[in-house]
Amino acid sequence: MKHVLRSLQNQTNSPKKHFHQNTLYQHQTPPSPPIHFLLHLPPSFHQVSCHTASDDLHQTLFSYLQIKRMAEEAVLGFLEKNDEIKDSGDFAAEKGISHEEIVNVIKSLNGFRYVDAQDIKKERWQLTAEGKTYAANGSPEFQLFMAVPAEGISRVELQKKLGDSVFKIGCQQAIKNKWMEMGKSQVSRKVAHVDDNVKEMLVKINDGEALNQEDIDALKRRKLISPLVWKGYSVKKGPNYAPKRRKPATDLTRVNLQSGEWKELQFKEFNFLAKGFPIEGGYLHPLLKVRRQMQMIFLQMGFEEMPTNNYVESSFWNFDALFQPQQHPARDSHDTFFLKEPSTTNMLPEDYVERVKQIHESGGHGSRGYGYDWKREEANKNLLRTHTTAVSSRMLYALAKKPFEAKRYYSIDRVFRNEAVDRTHLAEFHQIEGLICDRGLSLGDLQGVLHDFFSRLGMSKLRFKPAYNPYTEPSMEIFGYHEGLKKWVEVGNSGMFRPEMLLPMGLPEDVTVIAWGLSLERPTMILYGIDNIRDLFGHKVDLGLIKSNPICRIGI
């Protein structure tokens, strides 16, 4: 190593001018201390006023460094001639240096193995605020005894004379000590003379004198004293002991090489086990993880994704095209967010609108319809979509305009409903929807697809319950057996789109559509053990959850 350093030294001895490290600041103000150093100064240093001049700041720093150097020299110098510092407190008092400075130096030297330090703990007792009052004024029982004349005194007058607190405590202790006779209205002495032992014990403790354990326990029960733990160190020489600390060099400088200092330098060892700075980066939200897993399941089953980029939808595509009557409660402002601007749309396919109006008013294709006066102004209203089935209706209408081709569609995106927010409901959430459009599909096909889909989620046991939806018939609620919860839980809704929805679009009569839907939040909450939806989605989400949530395999 040294022949390499000599080579570097020769290379640096060039005729170029340079400033020696020790003369660089001869005609300049010394540099301000680095901020990381100031952060480790004792509290007394930080009490310097923020308006203190720069000279005062440097003077204060200089004084602190002097004290630190004195404390370090005292510890290392003492150990050079002695085997041990038995008590850092006694050592600090002997050297006239604050114990805090001695402790700071011992910790630093111990870290670099110049010394080996062992903890010392000493426990003594100190007076509480109440104890200090009694040490100064006497115990309540003694004050009460002295306030009672030989002929006695009324309780009311005595209480007024002593105050409520002293009277109450004094009565209890005086009766316990059998000093007083407490009548219903009169208080009198039972003995002629008493000593205030409580005050005497408190004064002794305050003066640092020892008491027997019985007296200590009595004062503790009355909460007149509290323990005070003193911490210090005993110190011996460490494996790296030296009479004077040598700061290990962390860098090899040009000055070291030119001056030859490198021959005597002690370099700081590399810590190859030290951890580097944590890498900060983006984190995937649990909803995004589960969304991606759901998406992969759909793709594996041969589905293609529908475009769901329009949060704003017209009532026509959201409700009317799905054969949902205009009087349906879901179309009320209490359940749906309607837009104020723009409040309506004028971009609807007129021929299709007319067919939808007819099916609502008078039916067709074997249906009687709803038999009401269908209003165009209701269909034109803009809203935040309440379900992604609005996208499905658009896709099926576009499919009907071409030569028929069987399709499998899916979507996973956000929907909005005007609902009260609680631990299981939000005004906005994510809906997962899948549909298959083909000839001759039946309810059995729907159940088969559902078993395939949910088995890929880890839920192989399914049950179906008849249900009602305006745009599907028959309709079924889907229940799955949760192995972890040991019970059946509702996991989705499903059905076959009604002919009143499909035929006005122009789809062939033998074409049927099976569909199902579920929320994204519910399976995510089950997977991650979250019981409040507001902890998963919204402004109250803990960012720690985003950073520390486990990478999990889907399996409800």
Side-chain angles (χ1 to χ4, degrees):
M1 178 66 181
K2 288 192 175 183
H3 72 274
V4 175
L5 295 178
R6 285 195 185 95
S7 174
L8 290 173
Q9 182 182 17
N10 294 334
Q11 292 177 24
T12 56
N13 288 327
S14 61
K16 294 181 181 179
K17 293 183 179 180
H18 64 274
F19 289 96
H20 191 278
Q21 181 175 336
N22 297 329
T23 62
L24 184 59
Y25 300 113
Q26 283 184 356
H27 304 293
Q28 299 178 15
T29 303
S32 297
I35 187 64
H36 64 81
F37 177 77
L38 295 177
L39 292 174
H40 292 85
L41 294 180
S44 58
F45 178 78
H46 293 290
Q47 293 173 2
V48 178
S49 168
C50 61
H51 299 292
T52 303
S54 177
D55 290 344
D56 293 337
L57 179 65
H58 284 284
Q59 184 61 41
T60 305
L61 176 60
F62 179 73
S63 300
Y64 168 74
L65 294 176
Q66 272 191 320
I67 295 171
K68 182 181 178 183
R69 185 162 52 249
M70 286 173 54
E72 186 171 297
E73 290 174 355
V75 172
L76 293 176
F78 184 87
L79 289 176
E80 185 178 10
K81 300 177 182 178
N82 301 273
D83 294 332
E84 181 182 8
I85 298 174
K86 294 184 177 181
D87 189 307
S88 59
D90 296 340
F91 180 79
E94 180 184 333
K95 298 297 181 180
I97 304 173
S98 76
H99 186 244
E100 181 185 3
E101 296 295 343
I102 292 292
V103 166
N104 288 339
V105 165
I106 290 174
K107 288 180 178 178
S108 175
L109 293 173
N110 184 65
F112 288 96
R113 303 306 308 278
Y114 279 83
V115 301
D116 286 333
Q118 297 293 327
D119 292 341
I120 297 176
K121 291 184 179 180
K122 296 179 182 178
E123 185 176 277
R124 68 181 185 86
W125 297 97
Q126 62 179 354
L127 303 186
T128 63
E130 186 178 2
K132 291 178 182 178
T133 302
Y134 296 168
N137 303 328
S139 65
E141 56 267 33
F142 186 79
Q143 294 183 53
L144 183 139
F145 182 87
M146 298 303 296
V148 176
E151 65 275 13
I153 188 174
S154 70
R155 293 177 68 103
V156 175
E157 186 178 350
L158 181 60
Q159 184 171 356
K160 187 183 299 183
K161 187 176 182 180
L162 294 175
D164 293 340
S165 177
V166 173
F167 176 78
K168 181 179 178 181
I169 299 173
C171 286
Q172 292 174 349
Q173 296 299 324
I175 293 172
K176 181 179 178 181
N177 296 340
K178 299 180 180 180
W179 291 355
M180 310 298 298
E181 182 72 40
M182 305 295 293
K184 290 184 178 180
S185 59
Q186 194 76 4
V187 180
S188 59
R189 295 182 179 182
K190 294 179 73 174
V191 294
H193 174 77
V194 296
D195 293 323
D196 194 355
N197 295 327
V198 172
K199 178 178 179 179
E200 292 177 6
M201 291 188 291
L202 292 173
V203 170
K204 285 182 178 180
I205 286 180
N206 200 44
D207 293 340
E209 298 181 28
L211 296 180
N212 61 52
Q213 191 60 43
E214 184 179 352
D215 292 338
I216 292 290
D217 292 340
L219 295 176
K220 279 170 61 180
R221 284 193 297 271
R222 295 184 63 174
K223 298 181 180 179
L224 301 180
I225 58 175
S226 61
L228 179 64
V229 179
W230 178 89
K231 294 181 180 181
Y233 294 95
S234 64
V235 185
K236 294 181 179 180
K237 294 178 182 178
N240 297 334
Y241 173 79
K244 188 174 182 180
R245 188 204 292 251
R246 294 182 62 185
K247 186 176 180 181
T250 57
D251 296 305
L252 182 64
T253 66
R254 180 183 179 190
V255 174
N256 299 148
L257 294 171
Q258 289 176 332
S259 64
E261 291 177 354
W262 61 270
K263 300 174 185 177
E264 306 297 329
L265 283 178
Q266 178 183 354
F267 290 96
K268 185 177 180 180
E269 295 180 359
F270 283 103
N271 182 5
F272 294 102
L273 300 178
K275 294 182 179 180
F277 288 104
I279 299 174
E280 293 293 338
Y283 298 88
L284 287 177
H285 191 284
L287 281 174
L288 291 178
K289 291 183 179 181
V290 178
R291 183 188 187 280
R292 179 59 177 167
Q293 291 166 329
M294 292 283 189
Q295 186 181 42
M296 293 307 297
I297 290 174
F298 277 116
L299 294 176
Q300 291 164 9
M301 294 176 66
F303 285 70
E304 59 181 281
E305 189 169 10
M306 295 184 282
T308 56
N309 53 322
N310 289 338
Y311 288 169
V312 176
E313 192 57 88
S314 68
S315 292
F316 177 80
W317 291 110
N318 197 82
F319 295 123
D320 294 277
L322 303 181
F323 195 58
Q324 191 160 335
Q326 294 183 339
Q327 300 87 358
H328 195 280
R331 302 183 68 154
D332 190 84
S333 60
H334 294 294
D335 295 303
T336 302
F337 292 108
F338 288 94
L339 267 65
K340 287 186 177 180
E341 185 66 33
S343 60
T344 60
T345 182
N346 56 3
M347 300 174 61
L348 297 177
E350 295 300 330
D351 57 336
Y352 180 42
V353 170
E354 191 59 35
R355 294 196 296 270
V356 169
K357 176 183 177 181
Q358 181 180 347
I359 202 73
H360 277 251
E361 290 184 341
S362 56
H365 310 290
S367 172
R368 295 183 300 176
Y370 290 112
Y372 70 96
D373 185 17
W374 187 85
K375 297 179 181 179
R376 175 65 180 267
E377 54 268 25
E378 282 292 328
N380 287 345
K381 289 181 179 179
N382 284 332
L383 49 79
L384 293 178
R385 67 182 180 212
T386 61
H387 48 196
T388 52
T389 315
V391 182
S392 302
S393 64
R394 284 181 176 272
M395 294 297 293
L396 291 173
Y397 173 71
L399 183 63
K401 295 171 68 175
K402 305 173 184 177
F404 179 73
E405 179 185 0
K407 286 288 184 179
R408 295 184 173 208
Y409 292 126
Y410 83 94
S411 65
I412 308 173
D413 212 336
R414 194 172 302 186
V415 296
F416 308 86
R417 293 182 188 174
N418 193 1
E419 293 184 344
V421 176
D422 57 31
R423 60 191 301 273
T424 58
H425 295 86
L426 289 177
E428 54 179 312
F429 57 96
H430 296 80
Q431 181 177 328
I432 303 167
E433 183 167 340
L435 66 90
I436 301 176
C437 179
D438 205 347
R439 300 181 188 273
L441 294 175
S442 66
L443 191 63
D445 294 310
L446 173 59
Q447 292 178 335
V449 172
L450 292 176
H451 275 286
D452 186 13
F453 178 80
F454 282 99
S455 66
R456 295 170 187 259
L457 295 176
M459 189 172 284
S460 57
K461 299 178 182 178
L462 295 183
R463 284 180 178 174
F464 304 101
K465 177 183 175 182
Y468 169 77
N469 290 315
Y471 45 89
T472 58
E473 180 60 39
S475 306
M476 301 183 301
E477 291 178 350
I478 310 166
F479 290 83
Y481 187 76
H482 191 287
E483 296 291 348
L485 301 177
K486 302 299 181 185
K487 65 177 183 179
W488 293 91
V489 294
E490 184 180 354
V491 292
N493 215 322
S494 65
M496 302 179 67
F497 285 150
R498 297 176 68 117
E500 294 96 329
M501 171 186 167
L502 301 178
L503 296 178
M505 293 178 176
L507 288 169
E509 291 190 6
D510 60 343
V511 169
T512 50
V513 179
I514 57 176
W516 71 98
L518 63 151
S519 75
L520 178 63
E521 283 75 8
R522 184 169 179 78
T524 305
M525 291 172 68
I526 294 174
L527 281 167
Y528 288 90
I530 299 171
D531 60 359
N532 191 326
I533 194 171
R534 289 169 290 193
D535 295 334
L536 177 69
F537 185 62
H539 66 284
K540 292 186 178 181
V541 171
D542 179 13
L543 292 180
L545 167 70
I546 312 302
K547 294 183 178 182
S548 62
N549 67 82
I551 301 174
C552 68
R553 178 182 61 82
I554 196 76
I556 295 180

